[in-house]
Amino acid sequence: MTPDPLAPLDLAFWNIESAEHPMHLGALGVFEADSPTAAAHAADLLAARAPAVPGLRMRIRDTWQPEPGLRAPLSFGGATREPDPRFDPLDHVRLHAPATDFHARAGRLMERPLERGRPPWEAHVLPGADGGTFAVLFKFHHALADGLRALTLAAGVLDPMDLPAPRPRPARPPRGLLPDVRTLPGRLRDALSDVGRALDIGAAAALSTLDVRSSPALTAESSGTRRIAGVAVDLDDVHHVRKTTGGTVNDVLIAVVAGALRRWLDERGDGSEGVAPRALIPVSKRRPRTARPQGNRLSGYLMRLPVGDPDPLSRLGTVRAAMDRNKDAGPGRGAGAVALLADHVPALGHRLGGPLVSGAARLWFDILVTSVPLPSLGLRLGGHPLTEVYPLAPLARGHSLAVAVSTYRGQVHFGLLADGKAVPDLDRFALAVADEVETLLTACRP
């Protein structure tokens, strides 16, 4: 397997990381256990299966010059994804002492950056103190995997399941040293279009920073600590709201976050009046069945959450209208598509500008609200069924809270990750999420 140059957005994620602001995403899965040794058996299985998953053997190595065997020359200061000849799964799979609170233990583990000299992923197995459950915390660096890719890697170490075969990509004709002159007019149009799109995105991002009232609770100075909470709600309840009001399930879930923020800010005394934080809603541009799902393919929508609106149905209507406008414009335009600008930055620019970019996230958005797709089939590890799964998004510098959502076997799981010092009351926000679902249900009843 030859070295694979990191895509521009992967390279950006790799270079904006610091010890206080690790750029890994995660997932906390809770499994049923049928014996006190179930967790240890699960850890053994993960370590035994990991070497057979090629993506888990890949390290990321900084490079400063082109190397033989690469399909395309590297820009100066880039990085490659390549097999680690010293890969040892025991360096990545760890069995811990029994835990009474999976989320509390996982929060401390999420604080720690992944080791950059070896494949950037870890699996932490947490036996339950009651003996009836165990949990696994998966951590993947965002430069190694986005949500879809992380799902593929994690599925490779879980029990085998029947999945659709990947759709093969059509073979590309070999490239010559010089471009075909017949394609130059089209390439020129594409280049000009890309420049115009980049200018449009940059202008929209600049305008999005104007006239914004957020809350200090969402944009406090980062401490490097992490706290995790999770809440599960009934998917049927969400569908009932959607069928009553229209829109999509995602519209309802974003409105739930807006209402929970309002409730939480008021309860802690910060106040929600007039607050309209900018939420970044990532949009994957990857096709789920592509044969090579490597490299982040992300854009996003940016919208103001109507936290200051006291009417739950009005909040939902505002969210729905904003998402409709975003979808009409498409994920390649507007302030939310800033991630696409990574394609226009040379590798050395990512390396030198990483610290500056990491500090600019708070100027662009106030809170991340992302959805992570999961298969509808039941997942198992060593025959033990997965009952809950809470996705966890990275927390950017200057941000206090990130929300990730997944739907699995009739439930919607909200994975909440926060700065531990800025948001010591994250459990109260989790309760506010559940309460907001009930509020919307009540508002939809005749």
Side-chain angles (χ1 to χ4, degrees):
M1 186 178 296
T2 59
D4 187 25
L6 257 62
L9 188 54
D10 296 338
L11 191 60
F13 286 134
W14 188 244
N15 283 296
I16 65 176
E17 181 176 66
S18 66
E20 296 78 20
H21 302 92
M23 286 304 299
H24 53 254
L25 47 85
L28 179 65
V30 180
F31 296 81
E32 290 182 2
D34 57 8
S35 72
T37 61
H41 178 54
D44 290 341
L45 281 176
L46 293 174
R49 293 171 176 174
V53 182
L56 296 181
R57 302 176 63 94
M58 304 297 282
R59 66 176 179 176
I60 295 174
R61 188 167 68 87
D62 294 326
T63 58
W64 291 94
Q65 60 187 5
E67 296 184 5
L70 292 181
R71 292 190 302 274
L74 280 176
S75 298
F76 185 70
T80 61
R81 190 184 292 107
E82 60 185 39
D84 184 357
R86 302 171 300 170
F87 174 73
D88 184 347
L90 297 180
D91 291 334
H92 300 265
V93 179
R94 300 166 190 174
L95 177 65
H96 294 259
T100 56
D101 186 335
F102 293 142
H103 287 96
R105 182 74 63 83
R108 292 191 291 272
L109 293 171
M110 284 294 287
E111 292 180 5
R112 307 174 188 174
L114 294 165
E115 189 170 327
R116 292 169 71 94
R118 60 191 185 196
W121 68 273
E122 292 174 352
H124 298 270
V125 183
L126 312 174
D130 60 359
T133 58
F134 68 89
V136 179
L137 172 67
F138 287 103
K139 294 168 58 177
F140 296 97
H141 198 286
H142 216 329
L144 179 71
D146 59 9
L148 283 173
R149 176 66 173 164
L151 172 61
T152 302
L153 294 175
V157 291
L158 297 179
D159 292 355
M161 56 186 294
D162 294 329
L163 291 176
R167 183 179 302 163
R169 283 197 304 188
R172 293 183 178 179
R175 294 182 178 179
L177 295 178
L178 295 175
D180 187 338
V181 295
R182 293 170 297 180
T183 67
L184 291 179
R187 291 189 180 190
L188 180 59
R189 286 195 301 270
D190 291 343
L192 291 175
S193 176
D194 286 345
V195 171
R197 185 179 299 112
L199 292 173
D200 176 72
I201 293 170
L207 290 174
S208 73
T209 64
L210 303 177
D211 190 26
V212 174
R213 178 159 187 254
S214 183
S215 169
L218 299 178
T219 55
E221 289 297 327
S222 303
S223 69
T225 59
R226 295 292 181 267
R227 186 179 298 269
I228 287 173
V231 59
V233 300
D234 196 319
L235 180 59
D236 286 342
D237 291 343
V238 176
H239 276 303
H240 177 76
V241 174
R242 177 191 62 80
K243 291 175 182 177
T244 303
T245 61
T248 68
V249 166
N250 202 39
D251 295 342
V252 177
L253 298 179
I254 295 171
V256 166
V257 173
L261 284 172
R262 175 182 176 83
R263 188 184 304 266
W264 176 63
L265 291 174
D266 287 342
E267 287 178 353
R268 73 196 321 247
D270 290 345
S272 62
E273 184 178 356
V275 172
R278 297 159 301 176
L280 177 63
I281 317 295
V283 177
S284 176
K285 300 189 73 176
R286 183 199 305 287
R287 295 180 180 178
R289 291 190 179 185
T290 50
R292 286 179 51 82
Q294 293 192 9
N296 278 280
R297 298 289 184 269
L298 292 175
S299 182
Y301 297 140
L302 198 68
M303 62 175 295
R304 305 277 182 89
L305 294 180
V307 172
D309 188 339
D311 184 338
L313 294 183
S314 175
R315 287 195 296 269
L316 177 52
T318 299
V319 167
R320 179 183 174 186
M323 288 299 289
D324 286 345
R325 289 194 298 271
N326 278 320
K327 292 171 186 175
D328 287 343
R333 296 275 184 182
V338 165
L340 298 180
L341 297 182
D343 292 338
H344 300 273
V345 178
L348 187 61
H350 284 297
R351 186 181 293 273
L352 298 179
L356 179 63
V357 172
S358 68
R362 67 192 306 174
L363 301 177
W364 174 28
F365 65 97
D366 303 303
I367 184 172
L368 179 73
V369 182
T370 185
S371 178
V372 181
L374 289 175
S376 58
L377 300 175
L379 301 173
R380 293 175 177 266
L381 178 56
H384 303 100
L386 175 67
T387 59
E388 304 170 56
V389 57
Y390 299 96
L392 302 167
L395 195 62
R397 181 187 297 271
H399 289 172
S400 303
L401 177 64
V403 179
V405 187
S406 66
T407 301
Y408 177 69
R409 295 185 69 79
Q411 288 194 311
V412 180
H413 295 89
F414 289 81
L416 313 175
L417 186 141
D419 185 282
K421 291 187 177 179
V423 187
D425 55 345
L426 185 61
D427 289 341
R428 292 176 62 185
F429 180 71
L431 291 174
V433 169
D435 290 343
E436 184 60 20
V437 174
E438 290 299 323
T439 297
L440 281 169
L441 279 172
T442 301
C444 289
R445 292 190 182 110

